[in-house]
């Protein structure tokens, strides 16, 4: 299986959105549907905004919406996915998870040597489709133990939370809850330290 025929966007932000959609398809084992949403602000209606909709499944009690924005390449990608067979979509989803694993491993390797960890995360996730996929026989969702700033950028967000994703990638709340403070490097170092302790044990 390869990306041949899949209309992958060139824009990094759109690529990350597509990776999020495929990861959710892998987790739920269902195809996404493209839906329109609207927002009301001050009595005025804005939209349509598009979302990838995932229905509830036996293992996932609630449906999910992944915000895609207005008409753009990620919308076209989800529209293309919706037209494919379930088997094709799930094959692509499994491939995406392998690429995601390779991307996370690359982040772990390179982070100690770079100053801008947040930039490394965003750039590597955007390039995930171009990396050599990890070849491990068993697939687990590494995001379950990945740093929060990595999980958040790939997690399912409802449409009205979409504008917060980038901020949450870059920062976290301070202890008093009043400020956003950068902590990507600290969190990644904590993740690496925890992994090292787990390997020793």
């Amino acid at each position: 299986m390869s990306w041949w025929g899949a209309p992958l966007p060139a824009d990094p932000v759109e690529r990350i959105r597509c990776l999020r959609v495929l990861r959710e398809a892998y987790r739920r084992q269902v195809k996404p549907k493209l839906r329109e949403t609207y927002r009301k602000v001050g009595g005025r209606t804005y939209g349509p905004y598009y979302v990838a909709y995932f229905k509830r499944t036996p293992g996932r009690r609630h449906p999910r919406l992944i915000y895609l924005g207005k008409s753009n390449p990620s919308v076209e990608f989800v529209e293309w996915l919706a037209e494919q067979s379930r088997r094709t979509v799930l094959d692509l989803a499994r491939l995406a998870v392998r690429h995601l694993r390779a991307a996370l491993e690359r982040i772990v390797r390179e982070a100690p040597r770079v100053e801008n960890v947040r930039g490394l995360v965003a750039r590597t996730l955007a390039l995930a489709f171009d990396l050599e996929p990890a070849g491990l026989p068993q697939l687990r969702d590494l995001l379950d133990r990945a740093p929060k700033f990595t999980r958040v950028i790939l997690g399912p967000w409802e449409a009205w939370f979409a504008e917060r994703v980038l901020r949450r990638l870059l920062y976290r709340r301070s202890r008093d809850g009043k400020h956003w403070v950068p902590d990507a490097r600290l969190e990644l170092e904590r993740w690496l330290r925890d992994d090292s302790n787990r390997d020793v044990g």
Side-chain angles (χ1 to χ4, degrees):
M1 192 71 184
S2 70
W3 300 116
W4 183 85
L8 293 174
D11 182 85
V13 174
E14 305 299 334
R15 281 189 156 221
I16 290 176
R17 284 175 174 163
C18 293
L19 190 59
R20 292 168 64 208
V21 169
L22 287 170
R23 174 180 172 252
E24 192 65 18
Y26 173 79
R27 293 174 70 205
R28 291 174 179 261
Q29 295 293 296
V30 296
K31 290 168 47 175
K33 293 182 179 178
L34 191 64
R35 287 195 172 179
E36 294 181 356
T37 63
Y38 296 84
R39 284 189 287 185
K40 283 191 176 181
V41 179
R44 298 184 62 180
T45 302
Y46 297 89
Y49 301 96
Y50 292 94
V51 297
Y53 172 80
F54 291 89
K55 66 182 181 181
R56 61 174 57 88
T57 62
R60 309 281 174 177
R61 295 173 52 192
H62 303 287
R64 286 293 188 186
L65 303 177
I66 295 181
Y67 179 76
L68 303 172
K70 293 195 173 183
S71 184
N72 57 44
S74 61
V75 172
E76 296 171 6
F77 178 76
V78 174
E79 194 172 31
W80 179 84
L81 282 180
E83 295 172 353
Q84 307 305 307
S85 68
R86 179 176 178 273
R87 179 175 179 178
T88 297
V89 172
L90 296 186
D91 283 346
L92 287 173
R94 279 190 291 273
L95 182 60
V97 171
R98 290 187 186 279
H99 279 261
L100 178 57
R101 180 187 296 275
L104 291 176
E105 290 172 351
R106 178 172 173 174
I107 290 170
V108 171
R109 285 196 312 270
E110 297 185 9
R113 300 191 299 271
V114 302
E115 287 298 320
N116 186 0
V117 177
R118 298 183 298 276
L120 170 67
V121 172
R123 185 170 61 252
T124 305
L125 292 178
L127 292 173
F129 294 114
D130 301 323
L131 298 176
E132 188 69 26
L136 297 178
Q138 289 187 331
L139 288 177
R140 293 189 308 261
D141 196 342
L142 288 186
L143 290 177
D144 289 342
R145 60 187 179 86
K148 184 177 180 181
F149 65 88
T150 308
R151 294 199 307 270
V152 166
I153 198 63
L154 288 168
W157 289 81
E158 295 180 347
W160 48 89
F161 287 132
E163 70 275 8
R164 303 182 190 178
V165 169
L166 183 59
R167 182 172 64 181
R168 287 176 177 269
L169 171 67
L170 300 177
Y171 303 97
R172 68 172 171 82
R173 286 279 190 187
S174 60
R175 288 187 178 180
D176 60 13
K178 297 179 180 179
H179 308 285
W180 288 91
V181 295
D183 84 325
R185 176 174 287 280
L186 292 176
E187 192 172 355
L188 188 59
E189 288 173 353
R190 186 160 54 245
W191 183 39
L192 292 170
R193 185 169 62 249
D194 292 344
D195 273 5
S196 176
N197 293 338
R198 186 181 298 113
D199 291 341
V200 171

